[in-house]
Amino acid sequence: MSMKSAKEFAVWMIDRFGEQESGVFLSKSDLKELSGRQTLRQDFIADLHFELTRHGMGFVSDALKEKYFLFYLPNVHWKEVADRYAPQSNVHNLARPRVSQGNGI
């Protein structure tokens, strides 16, 4: 198997796994075998993620870089889910008190 570029591999992944709405994960050895690479460098993973984001998908690893996750990017902005930490409309900035300049103090 020849080594695929990040762009070629992204297209292959979309064709192969794009119908999986919940996404898929691959092990490090799966990824090496399917991409034709002997080692996985972080720049390849970043390039792969970049190529996939252009198609509404993302690609990240776990902290140990043993599992890699292909998933659809969310379309919902965080403010649309009524986050409890969202700024409240009844909170206002307090004005600073003005210092009097005419009394010589």
Side-chain angles (χ1 to χ4, degrees):
M1 176 183 295
S2 65
M3 184 168 61
K4 294 177 176 73
S5 70
K7 187 173 188 172
E8 292 170 322
F9 194 55
V11 169
W12 181 86
M13 290 181 80
I14 292 166
D15 289 343
R16 179 67 178 91
F17 305 117
E19 298 296 320
Q20 297 296 319
E21 292 181 17
S22 62
V24 297
F25 77 88
L26 299 92
S27 69
K28 181 187 268 186
S29 61
D30 294 336
L31 193 53
K32 286 181 187 178
E33 181 181 342
L34 295 171
S35 68
R37 294 175 173 267
Q38 292 181 352
T39 60
L40 295 176
R41 295 182 51 196
Q42 189 56 37
D43 60 340
F44 174 73
I45 302 302
D47 290 347
L48 186 55
H49 176 72
F50 171 80
E51 292 296 337
L52 288 164
T53 59
R54 296 172 31 176
H55 300 278
M57 300 180 87
F59 193 71
V60 296
S61 71
D62 66 1
L64 299 175
K65 296 184 171 83
E66 291 298 322
K67 286 187 179 177
Y68 293 82
F69 303 91
L70 174 68
F71 56 94
Y72 278 94
L73 298 173
N75 291 319
V76 178
H77 189 262
W78 71 275
K79 289 182 180 179
E80 293 178 32
V81 295
D83 187 82
R84 67 181 179 165
Y85 298 109
Q88 300 297 315
S89 61
N90 62 351
V91 177
H92 304 284
N93 289 332
L94 297 176
R96 289 177 143 192
R98 293 187 178 193
V99 178
S100 176
Q101 296 179 4
N103 61 10
I105 298 178

